[in-house]
Amino acid sequence: MSTPQRTDLEASLQELECHFTWDFKKDEIKDLDNISEKLLDRVKFFHSRYHSTYFNILAFISHLEGQNETALEFLRKAEHVLRDEKPFLEKHLLVTYGNYAWVYYHIGNLSEVNTYLGKVEDICRSIPRSSRYSANLPIVYGEKAWTLLKLGARYYPSSKESFQKALHGDPDNLSLNSGYAVVLYRLEGFRRRKVKTESSEAVKQLRKVLRLEPNNSEAMVFLALKLQWYRKEESRKLVENALRVSPDVPQVTRYVAKYFRAEGDIDKSLEILKKAVELAPRSSFLHHQIGLCYKQELAKMKINEQQVPLDEKMAKMAECIHYFKKSVEIKPSNLHAKVNLAEAYGENRQMEEAEKIFTDVLEDPFLGISDRQYVLANYALFLLFKKKNEPSAICHFKAAYEIQLRTSSRVQAGKNLNKIANQRLKTNTEDSEAYEIISFVYMQDGLKKKAMEYSLKAKQFSSFNAEDLSALCDEKLNI
């Protein structure tokens, strides 16, 4: 094929609506292997209506990993599932055919590229207001929305938008409503302040899912977790029903276990989680949840420290570290598991291991700003309480606090800065650094008059000014 013809072919491929034209970049998608394993687990445990979506995503991931023949195998599975649907419509294959065309293009089989472009064109010809190679259909928006949801948190806002477009054209579609509920649940989970039940978009959508599909056990557990602290009786019934409907579905039972852990029933939570991890041994989430159960048990032991034998405490600590470590091994991007592992190392006096985790994470150039704030605040706690390095802890609390995101990490950092300053002033009312810390907090909160008042006090008691302190912190943080 001549260069002009190949250029025309590439232009046609770019008109397709499929995974290859939705602007996903490999270096923005974390843990491709882990995503694949999770999708294969969902194929094993969830309704076949979702399988074609999962197989298309698996095909795209296989391509990203350089396995185009495997990608074709997944596309064949997707096509087979779609053709078995009742009712089956050719337009359901638009995204799958587009993916076929792209994979064959990367393989170099240009004849098959033209075949699948022709199939897409034939389908689009029968759809009003479509272009030659694309059509604005709910099923296309839905495939894009599910893909955005499954490829990571950075895509959740775009996933929500695509689900809304899809539902506008097909408001009672089970798959679309279920996916929309999940992305709303995830997005609300990122907020520091709990969303009130009556104003929660996720609660409203989860209730709609259960009206459309009363036995959707995943929707049951998500709704139970949203209602746990507001409507105890209803949330408990939802959890019990979810366990009755899906006692052997790890993607459901893991959230049931999370529910019981929050209730303080660690034994029940561990029982459910250990059964679930046998069914899904490569689940980072399950290993992390088990680690959190042991962490909670350790916290109880610390309250009654003199009554707990040392060997029992050490055994529990070893279990905690084991499960957090396994969670991180399975999914290296599981940031919360990493931080929990570092904290567990700190509790076990394994300072070098803990320090390495914190510093490695903070050196990651792809670390998001909210994640950076979270890690800085937790690293500061480690420095303060485990390494007894107050100056460095102050610098890291400051770095977390000056990130202007309203999160629990920021609140924690501010409280600790004020606590340190006030404790120092109790022993020395002329402690200039304590006044500088208070000034810093006021300045970050936009209270410039109060900030200036405490800044003047800091200067009054020391020649070591705010600029010097800032430079010292920059040095400690290696900024």
Side-chain angles (χ1 to χ4, degrees):
M1 182 178 284
S2 66
T3 300
Q5 288 175 310
R6 194 177 184 92
T7 302
D8 290 343
L9 193 62
E10 288 173 359
S12 298
L13 286 166
Q14 288 295 340
E15 290 183 45
L16 296 168
E17 280 286 342
C18 66
H19 296 70
F20 290 82
T21 60
W22 289 335
D23 200 30
F24 297 119
K25 295 178 175 62
K26 184 177 179 179
D27 60 1
E28 292 179 350
I29 305 170
K30 296 182 178 180
D31 302 323
L32 290 175
D33 289 343
N34 188 257
I35 294 172
S36 296
E37 286 172 2
K38 287 198 288 187
L39 289 170
L40 289 169
D41 277 345
R42 293 187 77 85
V43 169
K44 191 187 303 182
F45 293 107
F46 279 81
H47 196 286
S48 61
R49 80 169 70 95
Y50 303 102
H51 292 185
S52 63
T53 297
Y54 300 153
F55 286 136
N56 266 294
I57 301 171
L58 284 162
F60 181 63
I61 290 173
S62 297
H63 160 72
L64 291 178
E65 293 178 327
Q67 300 169 3
N68 285 315
E69 292 299 332
T70 303
L72 288 176
E73 289 176 22
F74 281 125
L75 290 175
R76 292 181 192 112
K77 288 180 179 180
E79 182 177 1
H80 177 75
V81 170
L82 287 166
R83 290 190 180 280
D84 279 350
E85 284 184 352
K86 300 293 184 287
F88 165 70
L89 299 171
E90 282 289 329
K91 65 182 180 181
H92 294 168
L93 286 164
L94 273 173
V95 172
T96 306
Y97 282 166
N99 285 334
Y100 265 126
W102 272 100
V103 173
Y104 277 121
Y105 175 75
H106 286 289
I107 288 173
N109 189 336
L110 302 186
S111 173
E112 287 292 338
V113 175
N114 281 309
T115 297
Y116 281 96
L117 282 172
K119 290 184 178 190
V120 171
E121 186 175 6
D122 289 343
I123 294 169
C124 289
R125 195 177 290 122
S126 65
I127 299 171
R129 295 182 300 279
S130 65
S131 66
R132 186 178 180 185
Y133 293 117
S134 66
N136 296 325
L137 297 175
I139 193 166
V140 175
Y141 287 127
E143 286 295 303
K144 184 175 183 179
W146 270 110
T147 304
L148 289 161
L149 176 59
K150 292 301 174 186
L151 291 185
R154 68 178 295 133
Y155 298 115
Y156 288 171
S158 298
S159 175
K160 176 184 174 180
E161 184 181 333
S162 290
F163 274 123
Q164 288 172 334
K165 288 180 181 178
L167 285 164
H168 181 74
D170 193 358
D172 291 330
N173 182 286
L174 296 181
S175 173
L176 296 176
N177 276 285
S178 178
Y180 186 45
V182 172
V183 79
L184 290 176
Y185 175 85
R186 300 251 184 260
L187 285 168
E188 286 187 3
F190 289 152
R191 299 185 190 178
R192 181 180 68 84
R193 293 180 179 175
K194 288 184 179 179
V195 181
K196 291 182 179 179
T197 306
E198 58 271 18
S199 60
S200 167
E201 286 184 275
V203 167
K204 181 181 176 182
Q205 183 61 26
L206 287 162
R207 291 196 186 283
K208 181 181 178 182
V209 170
L210 290 171
R211 285 197 300 272
L212 294 170
E213 191 180 9
N215 282 335
N216 188 319
S217 53
E218 194 170 32
M220 288 179 198
V221 287
F222 285 147
L223 183 56
L225 288 167
K226 294 294 290 184
L227 301 179
Q228 186 168 13
W229 308 118
Y230 305 100
R231 300 188 181 184
K232 281 280 186 186
E233 188 177 344
E234 184 183 358
S235 69
R236 185 74 179 213
K237 284 181 180 177
L238 285 163
V239 164
E240 289 169 355
N241 284 336
L243 267 181
R244 177 182 54 79
V245 173
S246 303
D248 297 317
V249 178
Q251 292 84 354
V252 172
T253 56
R254 70 187 194 176
Y255 288 107
V256 172
K258 184 178 180 180
Y259 177 93
F260 283 115
R261 181 172 62 80
E263 293 288 317
D265 193 342
I266 305 300
D267 290 339
K268 181 71 172 175
S269 185
L270 278 171
E271 177 192 337
I272 294 167
L273 286 166
K274 289 194 173 180
K275 183 179 177 182
V277 87
E278 287 178 8
L279 296 167
R282 295 288 299 166
S283 169
S284 174
F285 184 98
L286 288 173
H287 285 89
H288 186 208
Q289 288 295 310
I290 294 172
L292 289 172
C293 285
Y294 285 121
K295 180 183 178 182
Q296 204 160 320
E297 288 190 333
L298 279 165
K300 287 182 180 178
M301 286 181 174
K302 286 186 79 174
I303 296 170
N304 305 303
E305 199 157 5
Q306 293 181 348
Q307 301 171 24
V308 180
L310 182 60
D311 58 345
E312 186 179 332
K313 183 182 176 185
M314 295 304 292
K316 201 72 70 176
M317 177 61 74
E319 291 273 40
C320 188
I321 289 173
H322 166 77
Y323 282 102
F324 286 147
K325 192 174 181 180
K326 185 70 175 175
S327 177
V328 173
E329 285 172 0
I330 294 169
K331 185 180 179 182
S333 67
N334 189 334
L335 185 66
H336 288 268
K338 274 187 178 176
V339 169
N340 288 148
L341 177 58
E343 290 169 340
Y345 279 141
E347 286 290 333
N348 206 39
R349 313 305 299 169
Q350 294 175 253
M351 298 303 181
E352 286 186 16
E353 290 89 337
E355 188 91 42
K356 187 175 189 313
I357 291 172
F358 282 121
T359 53
D360 284 353
V361 171
L362 288 171
E363 287 171 4
D364 180 0
F366 298 106
L367 188 67
I369 191 68
S370 62
D371 288 340
R372 181 174 177 79
Q373 185 185 56
Y374 166 73
V375 177
L376 283 165
N378 282 278
Y379 185 29
L381 288 171
F382 165 78
L383 291 165
L384 184 63
F385 294 112
K386 299 304 174 186
K387 295 202 77 176
K388 309 298 181 185
N389 186 343
E390 187 177 273
S392 190
I394 290 169
C395 290
H396 286 82
F397 279 133
K398 283 183 173 183
Y401 200 72
E402 66 187 356
I403 295 172
Q404 296 291 327
L405 295 177
R406 295 177 64 186
T407 65
S408 57
S409 298
R410 188 172 192 270
V411 171
Q412 180 191 70
K415 283 182 178 178
N416 278 288
L417 285 169
N418 280 319
K419 187 176 180 180
I420 291 168
N422 290 326
Q423 284 176 339
R424 290 174 69 155
L425 288 171
K426 279 182 183 178
T427 57
N428 178 11
T429 57
E430 296 184 1
D431 188 322
S432 62
E433 287 187 49
Y435 289 119
E436 188 278 328
I437 291 168
I438 296 171
S439 172
F440 169 85
V441 173
Y442 277 128
M443 184 61 74
Q444 294 302 314
D445 290 345
L447 301 171
K448 294 182 181 179
K449 188 175 180 181
K450 294 291 288 184
M452 184 61 69
E453 178 187 329
Y454 280 92
S455 179
L456 289 171
K457 284 186 178 181
K459 288 178 181 177
Q460 178 185 343
F461 296 115
S462 176
S463 59
F464 196 56
N465 61 36
E467 287 76 14
D468 295 327
L469 289 167
S470 177
L472 179 63
C473 275
D474 285 353
E475 185 180 339
K476 287 182 182 292
L477 289 164
N478 294 317
I479 295 172

